[in-house]
Amino acid sequence: MTSSTIPSEYKDRLSPGKDWRQIVTLVDGLPPMPHVASKALLLIDRPETDINDLEKVMLGDTALAALVLKIANSALFSRQRQITTLSQAVTLVGLKTLKGVVAAAALKKFQRNTSEVNKMIWYNSVGTGISAVIIASKLKKSYRDELFLLGLLSSLGQLSLLDQVPQEYDKVFDLIEEKKIDYATAEFELFGYTHALVGALVAKKWNFSEESCQVILHCKDPISGIKPQTGADEKTAIVQLAHLIAVKAGIGVFGSYPDVTERINKIAIYVGFLPEVLEETLEELIKTCKEKFESERSAYE
């Protein structure tokens, strides 16, 4: 990112008078995605990629490879069999799922901020990814394996802001407590933009797909209409619902965070859950999300 002119698709995502160059500078100041992870993700996206070539690339970063194996063995991904090699991870987990696993490992390595606040946001990111997979499975969506990555990336902007402006971001929590508003609303009031914009720009910098960038950009937008019109709309809504389910499960949030029940109900119906059994369905989703996160959180620490 080097342009000083704001692209048209982002113009309504900045408060009046906000200097686009400040955001460009912030994103440019972030470290690149770890080289091995970046190369591995590119290989995963190529249908002709040889498993052995992918394994050789990932072995170029032993710490990353170890973290990939650790996450791949968590209950969310494992197929009732211990994964001991990267080639097994590719074969047993599958390439689409492996993409999310590699991204999770890369994001963990990327984090230079080790504060409790950063840990809380990271947990919420992981909880959102786990919740997204649970929701997609419940709705029997064919793309469920993509949802962990998209849910995980929904907090990329927050992790980036904590890396670049940690003291300023602490004020977000003060504003949430004072006004009982959510992250995005507090961020826009303080910074003139939200973490969704930053996350989309960072994902673009790291060469994630255009669809991934758009899901990140729009995953905090208000829902309109009675049902999704496109696949991207549906994925975006599921990620938004997943974040709210994670919030309701108490993953990566604090006690003064505003109640999200009304928003959960609206989005749940929008993505296809039945109104007549909505309360029971959501209770089950929240319970399952909390249990899975608690059983697997050690894989992400």
Side-chain angles (χ1 to χ4, degrees):
M1 285 181 63
T2 56
S3 175
S4 60
T5 303
I6 180 172
S8 57
E9 66 174 313
Y10 303 136
K11 282 186 177 178
D12 63 347
R13 296 183 177 273
L14 270 69
S15 61
K18 186 67 187 178
D19 190 344
W20 168 249
R21 289 172 297 184
Q22 292 180 6
I23 302 173
V24 171
T25 299
L26 185 148
V27 174
D28 283 346
L30 288 163
M33 173 175 278
H35 174 71
V36 167
S38 180
K39 194 171 181 181
L41 290 172
L42 286 174
L43 284 175
I44 289 170
D45 281 335
R46 294 176 186 166
E48 70 278 10
T49 290
D50 184 272
I51 291 176
N52 292 326
D53 291 339
L54 182 57
E55 184 175 25
K56 286 177 185 175
V57 166
M58 288 196 286
L59 285 172
D61 185 335
T62 54
L64 180 75
L67 194 52
V68 166
L69 288 177
K70 185 179 179 184
I71 294 172
N73 274 298
S74 69
L76 188 69
F77 301 117
S78 67
R79 303 294 189 262
Q80 309 303 317
R81 177 180 167 185
Q82 182 73 14
I83 296 171
T84 57
T85 67
L86 290 170
S87 58
Q88 281 183 332
V90 175
T91 303
L92 297 175
V93 173
L95 285 176
K96 286 185 178 179
T97 299
L98 186 67
K99 188 173 182 179
V101 173
V102 172
L107 282 177
K108 181 61 181 170
K109 282 199 69 180
F110 153 77
Q111 294 171 56
R112 299 180 293 192
N113 187 321
T114 57
S115 68
E116 286 301 311
V117 168
N118 191 88
K119 182 186 291 187
M120 185 174 73
I121 296 296
W122 172 238
Y123 282 162
N124 182 259
S125 176
V126 173
T128 299
I130 290 171
S131 177
V133 173
I134 294 168
I135 293 167
S137 298
K138 187 78 173 176
L139 291 170
K140 295 180 170 58
K141 297 300 177 183
S142 60
Y143 51 75
R144 67 178 291 276
D145 291 337
E146 299 174 41
L147 267 293
F148 178 74
L149 173 63
L150 294 175
L152 191 75
L153 293 177
S154 66
S155 295
L156 178 57
Q158 287 176 293
L159 295 170
S160 301
L161 287 165
L162 281 164
D163 181 272
Q164 292 292 287
V165 289
Q167 292 181 333
E168 289 89 338
Y169 201 82
D170 283 346
K171 297 173 184 175
V172 169
F173 296 92
D174 295 334
L175 199 57
I176 288 172
E177 188 163 0
E178 176 189 342
K179 295 191 174 184
K180 302 297 184 286
I181 53 181
D182 62 16
Y183 283 120
T185 305
E187 290 162 356
F188 196 82
E189 187 168 325
L190 284 169
F191 301 132
Y193 55 87
T194 73
H195 71 268
L197 172 59
V198 175
L201 295 173
V202 176
K204 190 171 185 177
K205 174 183 177 179
W206 286 354
N207 295 315
F208 282 101
S209 70
E210 180 60 26
E211 182 180 69
S212 296
C213 295
Q214 288 300 309
V215 169
I216 297 166
L217 182 65
H218 295 287
C219 69
K220 296 297 186 289
D221 292 355
I223 294 296
S224 61
I226 58 173
K227 64 179 182 179
Q229 298 302 305
T230 67
D233 287 346
E234 186 173 69
K235 291 174 186 177
T236 302
I238 288 175
V239 169
Q240 186 171 161
L241 178 60
H243 165 68
L244 297 174
I245 291 289
V247 167
K248 201 71 174 174
I251 302 171
V253 292
F254 46 95
S256 58
Y257 203 77
D259 183 62
V260 296
T261 303
E262 187 176 337
R263 290 167 62 194
I264 286 180
N265 292 345
K266 181 178 179 180
I267 301 170
I269 292 171
Y270 176 84
V271 298
F273 287 112
L274 299 175
E276 55 267 30
V277 290
L278 190 62
E279 185 176 349
E280 296 91 332
T281 300
L282 292 174
E283 284 180 1
E284 180 188 346
L285 288 174
I286 293 165
K287 180 174 180 286
T288 304
C289 177
K290 188 170 186 177
E291 288 175 348
K292 281 195 173 292
F293 175 77
E294 288 301 328
S295 69
E296 299 174 24
R297 63 188 293 174
S298 62
Y300 302 92
E301 294 176 336

